[in-house]
Every structure is written in structure tokens, then in C-alpha cells.
Amino acid sequence: MAHDSHGRTIDYLRISVTDRCNLRCVYCMPPEGIEWKPMEGILSFEEIERFAAIAVENGIRKIRLTGGEPLVRKGLVGHVRRLRAITGLDSIALTTNAILLPKYAQQLRDAGLSRVNISLDSLDPDVYAEMTRGGRLQDALDGLDTALEVGFKPVKLNVVVVRSLEQDLASFAKLAIDRPIHVRFIEYMPVGDANAVGARGHQGCWTEADHVPSDEIIETLGTAMSAQGLGPIEAVHKGQGPEGWGPARYFTMPASVGTLGVISPLSRHFCGECNRLRLTADGRIRPCLFSDREFDVKTALREGTDREVNEVIAAALREKPETHEQRRGTVRGMSQIGG
Ligand code: SAM
Ligand code: SF4
């Protein structure tokens, strides 16, 4: 098992396979997009697979593929199959905006993908188009349906709550009543350029005023669901929630098949339980989402031995910060880091 210098076990690796995306979510990317890294600056699948195998030797047990939008990278299904074959890896998951799932869900399942998390921030077609700057809600819903049809279980839906966008949170909770969907409301986070154009009425990808603490999210949901005769919502005890529990707090509603959850990276940060490292698409290990400190492992992967790759992993573990304090944004946006 790998431990960082604060005694935490590190067994979870999030790998960004691309910085490119087919959407432009207001909290993630500026409207004009970002300057894509040229392909030679991006790790090849072979390089990622070598890194992953070495990381598993160091104690990594779970991998999540993310981006940018991982499904826009050609050849992802084969990549999943090869990662799955790494001895010692327990599970491999994917975070996606679901637009391309109708095309790839079955192939991904056949390749051994364990789980999918789908990011979907509004069930109102106009708000969805505004949040994603042009996305079509029906495409994402088709992706969600396909994920369920091919048998991914659980399917988790990630909803980032942004105050000024006034999302209808109860509409998501209703989705979980008769379908095996775990809806997780995520606090909007200070990641990305604070000077870029962000959500409705604000300048900045990160705006403090748009942050909604998870306790307020639960209260809003509870009130709305009870008013519609669908409440109350009740806390689920740890161990009874969906597989791959992670840092979420879960809730159920009477007779619901799915669950509700909240993830509170800011209002109740879970740094003490943090078990993750990130690998960016351009080959840097990022020990903490909120810290711009990164460790170049691309050079070691291209020119060095496994021992040199191990040394970079060891340095990243040593320097993983104990906690995060800042609320001012980061140099690189979520799509470049790998959310
Ligand atoms: N494109 C894929 C997707 O959207 O699921 C994977 C990459 S995306 C960067 C990963 C996750 O980060 C998404 O669930 C997205 O909503 C979330 N995210 C991006 N920027 C965020 C922010 N500033 N605060 C909170 N979550 C954010
Ligand atoms: Fe793309 Fe995901 Fe970022 Fe939206 S959140 S712009 S889908 S990478």
C-alpha cells in the first residue's frame, strides 16, 4: 500500500485521457474553449498504461478515466480493455457527459469497465444548453438510458450546483425514485481561471457567490420533495450506500430505488480521507485538485526507466498537501486537470 507523508492510504488514481471536450460547461471551460495541447504533448495510451501498471504496483486499486471528455479520444475502448488486464487493479470507472454513450456504452461494458458516472446539471433543455454552452439535453438523456440498458450498476449522476443558474434540484431527485440512479449534488469548486467568463451574471469560472453549501442543498431538496408528497429524505448509514461510496453523504426517499447524495469538497472538506492522485493528459501527477503543484512524469515515461517513474510517484506522494485552504481558482481549469 502507498501512503503519503500524512499517513493517508493512496489507492485511487484519476487519469485524464484528453483535455478536449464536445461541450463547454460554464464552470469548466471558457466559451472559446482552451488551447488544446498538440497530440505529441499528450500521453499515448501505451504511456498511460505503463504508468497505470507501475501505479498499481505502488498500491493503486481503483482507476477512473476522465478528461476533458474521455469518450472523444479515439481508441478508448481498447485502452479500457488493456487497463482492465492489469493484475491487482480492482475496478475501472469512467466520468463522462454521456453524449457519446449511446455509441460506446456496450463496448465499454464488454471491455470490462466497472462503473460510469454521468455529469448532467439540468433536466431543463434551455438551462442545460446554457450550462453546457450549446449541448442538447436529449443526447445526454439518451446516454443515461443506454448506460442503464447495458447494465452498468450503479449509474451515478453528478450534478454541480451553481446558485445563479437556479437549477430545479427536485427534478433530479424524482429520477431516482423509480430508477437505479444515484444522484450526487456536488458543490461548485474554485478550479480554473477566476478571470474567465463563467456562469450567469458573473465574471469568472469560479465565483464565491455561486457556491451552494451541501447543507443548504439537502435542505432545499428536503423541502421541495416533502412539498410534493415525495419526502422526507433520510440519511443512509455508511456501508448501506451504493458501491464506490467515496466522499459523498447519501440520502433516500420513501420507496425510492436510487439514492441522493451530496459531495462537499468545500463546506465539509474530506482531505483527511483523501485517497487519490491525478494524472493529467499531458503527463503530470497532480496530488491535489486545488493545488497547482504538479510533477512531470511524461519525461520519465518517454526517456526513463520504471525506477525513474517510481521516483516521480514517490515525490508526488511525499508532497501531497495535507489540506486545501484557498478559494481563488487554479491556473489550469478542470478540463485540463481532469475533474
Ligand atoms: N467531461 C466529463 C464530464 O463532464 O463528466 C469528465 C470531465 S469533467 C471535468 C469531470 C467533472 O468535473 C464533471 O462532473 C464536472 O461537472 C465537474 N466539474 C468541472 N468543473 C467543476 C467545478 N468548477 N466545480 C465542480 N465540479 C466541476
Ligand atoms: Fe466538458 Fe466535462 Fe468540462 Fe463539461 S465538465 S466542459 S463536459 S470536460
Side-chain angles (χ1 to χ4, degrees), residues 42-60:
I42 297 292
L43 293 183
S44 67
F45 282 142
E46 291 71 18
E47 288 163 345
I48 297 177
E49 288 153 22
R50 177 171 170 221
F51 179 83
I54 296 172
V56 169
E57 283 167 13
N58 277 281
I60 292 295

Side-chain angles (χ1 to χ4, degrees), residues 20-25 27-29 67-69 97 119 335:
R20 301 178 186 212
C21 189
N22 44 4
L23 297 178
R24 298 280 180 277
C25 300
Y27 49 68
C28 182
M29 273 202 206
E69 173 48 43
N97 60 31
S119 308
S335 66

Side-chain angles (χ1 to χ4, degrees), residues 224-259:
M225 296 308 278
S226 293
Q228 297 175 44
L230 299 168
I233 64 170
E234 281 172 0
V236 177
H237 295 294
K238 200 143 185 142
Q240 293 168 347
E243 207 183 320
W245 179 289
R249 286 184 287 154
Y250 279 97
F251 300 82
T252 52
M253 297 160 287
S256 65
V257 181
T259 59

Side-chain angles (χ1 to χ4, degrees), residues 35 44 49 66 69 97 104 111 193 206 286 296 299:
E35 203 175 310
S44 67
E49 288 153 22
T66 180
E69 173 48 43
N97 60 31
Y104 291 119
D193 179 3
W206 161 249
R286 186 167 175 119
D296 171 28
T299 309

Side-chain angles (χ1 to χ4, degrees), residues 259-321:
T259 59
L260 305 177
V262 284
I263 302 184
S264 328
L266 293 195
S267 68
R268 294 182 183 214
H269 72 72
F270 33 82
C271 303
E273 294 163 45
C274 186
N275 61 346
R276 59 188 66 178
L277 286 182
R278 288 181 155 79
L279 177 67
T280 66
D282 59 353
R284 293 165 169 273
I285 303 178
R286 186 167 175 119
C288 174
L289 177 61
F290 298 103
S291 164
D292 287 314
R293 183 104 196 265
E294 295 177 346
F295 296 78
D296 171 28
V297 74
K298 184 173 70 186
T299 309
L301 285 168
R302 294 202 170 157
E303 296 163 20
T305 59
D306 286 3
R307 193 171 59 82
E308 286 162 281
V309 175
N310 269 309
E311 279 167 10
V312 183
I313 294 177
L317 286 171
R318 219 172 24 246
E319 300 295 325
K320 186 171 163 67

